[in-house]
Amino acid sequence: MEARSFPLAVVLASVLCLCRSYTLRGGSVSWVVPANDVAEDADLSEEDAPALLVDSAGLWKQAYSSPNVVGDSAQSPVELVESENDNVAQLSSRLFSYRLEKVQKPASRSSGPPSSAPPPHQETARTARYIAHQSDWGHLATISNQDKIKGLPFGNIFSVSDGPADNSTGVIYFYVTPMDTTVSDLRSNPHASLTFSEAEGEFCRQMAFDPEDPRCARLTLTGKMVEVAPEEVAFAKEAMFSRHPVMAKWPVGQKWFFMKLDLIQVWLQDWTGGISLVPLEDYFKATPF
């Protein structure tokens, strides 16, 4: 009797465990989700799988490579689920997920999107202006003046604005302090490159584009960083403080002042097949609206 009941208990335990979760395996990531979140006849392709992953917080979560989630030598999904009573919730908080409503795809670039969406990719000057205006921050690369890395590239994040929300100029303004390492670098070499990614906004998320996907546009503006002239300070202040109101409360003792990037080159990648060097004249004539 004991010999017969033991296999039956194993089968029942396996069925109960397997009913609690599914594992969706992609090329580089494995996802574990509760069984009741996946339809019996769902298409579990790598392209569609992320749309099924919805957590209570609805936030972007950290992605782990498949060996760290499930693999030949790793814990099985059942072991992961069984490790703690509330482990399904804890596990879901470690996975890369989307809000379900964000998965609906907007009009593509090439089909003439509405004004709130990015311009068609063929309109390179307008796309560059759109990204420059929509971006609230960017990555500024300078040539370092620091002792250990002197002469090497150094990158830093800065809040920026090309004008108030209803007035795009294409000129990128900064509010900086002499205490910043990058400002010290600029005193030795004022040339810099400022990079924006369309991943900052909603478009790439909605389209499920990786930030390195060429269809998730990248814009790099290269030029010379200069201090804003006195007659232009009022506009620079409006441009920055209207987009970043907290700046008005920053300590005056840090001697904040305004700078801008005088452009030399506009580099854009917004589609497959190569990059575009947008003429400065076309860039400033275009409108992001």
Side-chain angles (χ1 to χ4, degrees), residues 89-100:
Q90 292 183 359
L91 183 61
S92 68
S93 71
R94 298 173 57 199
L95 298 176
F96 185 90
S97 60
Y98 299 81
R99 282 186 185 273
L100 188 58

Side-chain angles (χ1 to χ4, degrees), residues 21-282:
S21 65
Y22 286 85
T23 301
L24 311 181
R25 304 183 70 111
S28 58
V29 177
S30 295
W31 300 280
V32 180
V33 296
N36 56 6
D37 287 347
V38 183
E40 291 275 343
D41 57 348
D43 178 8
L44 303 184
S45 65
E46 183 175 2
E47 178 181 357
D48 296 330
L52 301 173
L53 306 179
V54 182
D55 64 7
S56 58
L59 301 174
W60 292 77
K61 302 299 182 182
Q62 185 174 1
Y64 288 77
S65 61
S66 53
N68 291 333
V69 178
V70 57
D72 294 337
S73 59
Q75 287 179 294
S76 69
V78 172
E79 290 171 329
L80 288 171
V81 172
E82 289 293 332
S83 62
E84 295 186 25
N85 291 336
D86 59 345
N87 199 50
V88 171
Q90 292 183 359
L91 183 61
S92 68
S93 71
R94 298 173 57 199
L95 298 176
F96 185 90
S97 60
Y98 299 81
R99 282 186 185 273
L100 188 58
E101 64 269 23
K102 296 296 185 185
V103 177
Q104 183 177 2
K105 296 183 179 181
S108 67
R109 291 180 178 278
S110 59
S111 62
S115 58
S116 60
H121 71 89
Q122 299 94 335
E123 298 182 21
T124 54
R126 186 178 165 212
T127 297
R129 284 292 300 274
Y130 173 87
I131 296 172
H133 184 61
Q134 293 293 324
S135 298
D136 288 326
W137 58 274
H139 176 273
L140 189 71
T142 56
I143 300 301
S144 180
N145 193 39
Q146 302 173 55
D147 290 338
K148 291 186 178 181
I149 57 171
K150 192 169 185 177
L152 300 179
F154 178 78
N156 205 350
I157 298 297
F158 284 91
S159 297
V160 299
S161 172
D162 84 327
D166 61 350
N167 184 10
S168 168
T169 65
V171 177
I172 310 299
Y173 293 95
F174 302 75
Y175 191 47
V176 298
T177 169
M179 301 171 66
D180 194 295
T181 300
T182 296
V183 177
S184 176
D185 292 343
L186 292 171
R187 288 174 174 169
S188 299
N189 186 338
H191 294 94
S193 289
L194 177 66
T195 298
F196 299 117
S197 172
E198 202 170 25
E200 179 188 344
E202 294 296 323
F203 176 76
C204 296
R205 292 185 177 96
Q206 291 174 333
M207 301 296 288
F209 290 159
D210 185 89
E212 199 171 335
D213 189 311
R215 296 168 297 177
C216 185
R218 284 166 277 169
L219 174 67
T220 296
L221 304 176
T222 301
K224 183 178 180 180
M225 290 286 289
V226 298
E227 186 171 351
V228 172
E231 62 271 18
E232 197 178 350
V233 165
F235 181 81
K237 183 176 181 179
E238 180 187 6
M240 291 300 299
F241 289 8
S242 64
R243 302 278 290 271
H244 308 278
V246 70
M247 288 181 168
K249 301 179 181 179
W250 285 358
V252 294
Q254 293 186 359
K255 300 180 180 179
W256 298 92
F257 66 101
F258 295 96
M259 297 190 78
K260 68 178 182 179
L261 183 62
D262 279 348
L263 294 184
I264 296 174
Q265 177 179 278
V266 176
W267 182 100
L268 174 72
Q269 180 162 24
D270 67 342
W271 203 249
T272 59
I275 58 95
S276 300
L277 295 179
V278 181
L280 296 183
E281 183 179 2
D282 294 346

